[in-house]
Amino acid sequence: MNEVLDFLLLREPNILYVVIGTILIGASAGLIGTFAFLKKSSLLGDAISHAALPGVCIGFLFAQEKDPVFLLLGSFISGWIATYLVEWITIHSKLKKDTAIAVILSFFFGIGIFLLTIIQGSGMAAQSGLNTFLVGKAAAIQTSDLLVFGGVALLIILFVVIYYQPLKILVFNRDYALSIGLPVKTMEFLLNSAIVMAIAVGIQAVGVILMAALLITPAAAARFWSYRLSKLLIIAAGIGGFSGWFGALVSYTAPNMPTGPWIVTVLSVFAMGSAFLAPKSGMISRIKMGRENANKILVENILKTIYLFCEKEANPLTRSILYTDILEQRFFTPNNFSKGLRWLDKKHMIILDKNSLKLTEQGYEESKRVVRLHRLWEVYLYEKMNLAADHIHPNAETMEHVLTPDLEKLLLKELDHPMSDPHQSKIPK
Amino acid sequence: MTVKNPSIAVEAHNITVAYDRQPVLWEVDFEMPAGKLIGIIGPNGSGKTTLVKTLMGVLTPDSGYVEIFNEPLHEVRSKIAYVPQRESVDWDFPASVYDVVMMGRFSAKKLFQRPSKQDKLVVRQSIEKVGLTPFIRRQIGQLSGGQQQRVFLARSLAQEADIYFMDEPFVGVDAATETAILTLMLTMKDQGKTLIIVHHDLQTVSEYFDEVLLLNTRVIDYGPVETVLTDANLKAAYGGQLNVLSKVGELMKQSEFPVREKEFKNRTVKK
């Protein structure tokens, strides 16, 4: 518990460095990953991350120690080679992109594991901890490494901020970018380099196996919350930064835990939470909307049925209608029927008696409105769409629940205020 | 020494383009006058889109060159506006109508500048001209096909260009949008703009355009609508492939021949 407090309150200066470093790493990955996501190259990101492993090993063999610059350079170069090879295979062979990605991913990862095994068997003293690159260990980042990693992460963030507008144009519409003379080739090179760089610095914290999640998941989660690219980038960077910080917390308080899986779990919670909770596009609000619609259809259908009994009365509000009469006129399941009546009662549309009901003034107006829409729509189908009179009822059944007051006005105007529907029933005013 | 004609908007000189060694355009050569509404028509796969992309420098031809207002392309970029095919982009992209039209105000020369008051004004006016002001903040994926086409149109208006290249602007739009686009095009022509439009509906060609280029890999004919749309020309364009040419293309693909020998690839020096 003490460690958690130490970490949260940044009690040691070295914790501060780790926190700043991991937040920068996570934020830069989330930021540049949004462009990979929008370019639809999420899978390529996964291939690049796996391809970073042989680079890390070769970088280590070169330096004979875990020098951050060499490790970074190694993973950057092998990541780039993988990117280039995927493109080359896609263009120059019959293989499609997904095949090329799968082949390159496993090929490079295989070589990486091979090299790692050789290094571990070599008995070099400095090699201990190299396998943290597989699943990540945020707390293993040295203060001196952080300068390099944090610097690169800042560079990536700066790149996105400065090149925001051209990147947006390029990713949305490449042909258009070419037509206004943007240096498309150069920008694509820079963008790809930034993605590879973000991966190269991120693998220290997350590990090569799970790195793609830190790149792509923040953008995927953010997509539920905004359709504006600028906000999307800020949210994705925030989620990435938070998961980086959380990874460091886990890594510091439980040194034997691999950081990568924890970061990925937090990210997935964000993504799934967004998928459920986001307004409008989230699942919960869509389920809610569906239920509201179902309820609207139910009560409006009940009102419409009641209206048929009141229609010919001189004083409709005094007419008492038996439940059994309503159910005879139109089928409702017992459950739905009582649910609908309860709702109408609560809204003071009807007054319930033991086994009969009466409409209130506002209930009567509402029922008139539903019937009016139904009959107006029937006239519309009959006159403007040339449908036969016996074909229009089912369609009007649905439309009456959908039509808004604005559309009602439009209908009335277009049909020139008709008096009766194609079945010769009066259209209530 | 030839005297340059100032009224020439687009000159294509012996353009050949090949995809995967299959020639898509073959020795295409023409001059289009300024201030006209010009249609590019031809059957599917006849190279219409490729031609427009080449004219705008989106594609580099295997041989030949393009001049706009008697200048090489890169000198006159700001005079060109482009309306790509609607299906060529992902409409789920996180951007609003305003965002996309604002893209029309950016050029390679002022990439890092923030939009000025003038830019914002032009964007608002362009959106109003295509009747999308009520949807200005809407995400572009939530628009109808016709409205999406108008977004692209508004972006090209915001470019304030002299030549407008439009790739199938009438495809998949409602009748109201079609009329709106056409009215807009005629207004633009009256302002002296040149409009070059890829079109596939033969029925409406004579109604819309002053001149038409009939294309099927090579130029069948180019000129005023009534002289180009003859039975013989249409038969040449639509009556099946050129047998020998397609066989040559097939052969080149199989044996991996280059489309042009190296010394003919570059732009010929004009005296």
Side-chain angles (χ1 to χ4, degrees), chain B residues 140-155:
Chain B
I140 50 174
Q142 290 165 358
L143 300 171
S144 72
Q147 289 166 337
Q148 290 176 343
Q149 190 65 60
R150 290 192 220 187
V151 173
F152 270 173
L153 210 61
R155 181 177 68 181

Side-chain angles (χ1 to χ4, degrees), chain B residues 11-17 25-31 51 54-55 61-67 217 219 260 264-268:
Chain B
E11 185 197 346
H13 189 89
N14 280 352
I15 288 177
T16 296
V17 178
L25 294 175
W26 194 280
E27 299 289 336
V28 171
D29 194 279
F30 57 79
E31 287 177 353
L51 177 59
T54 311
L55 294 179
D62 290 278
S63 75
Y65 62 87
V66 178
E67 284 193 347
T217 309
V219 177
R260 276 284 179 282
F264 294 103
K265 270 206 170 177
N266 296 325
R267 182 189 156 155
T268 42

Side-chain angles (χ1 to χ4, degrees), chain A residues 96 109 181 235 299 383 411:
Chain A
K96 297 277 179 288
F109 192 57
I235 298 172
V299 298
E383 283 187 5
L411 264 179

Side-chain angles (χ1 to χ4, degrees), chain A residues 40 173 175-176 223 227 229, chain B residues 53 90 92 94-95 137 155:
Chain A
K40 304 191 168 44
N173 197 344
D175 281 348
Y176 180 77
R223 191 67 185 84
Y227 68 83
L229 183 58
Chain B
K53 284 187 179 175
D90 175 11
D92 268 342
R137 288 286 163 207
R155 181 177 68 181

Side-chain angles (χ1 to χ4, degrees), chain A residues 47-49 51-52 55 73-84 108 196:
Chain A
I48 299 171
S49 329
L73 213 62
S75 44
F76 180 73
I77 291 170
S78 69
W80 242 119
I81 294 176
T83 315
Y84 181 77
F108 274 74
V196 177

Side-chain angles (χ1 to χ4, degrees), chain B residues 21 23 26 247-260:
Chain B
R21 294 175 208 282
W26 194 280
K247 276 190 180 147
V248 169
E250 196 64 35
L251 196 68
M252 289 169 108
K253 189 182 174 185
Q254 277 170 12
S255 50
E256 309 217 335
F257 259 104
V259 175
R260 276 284 179 282

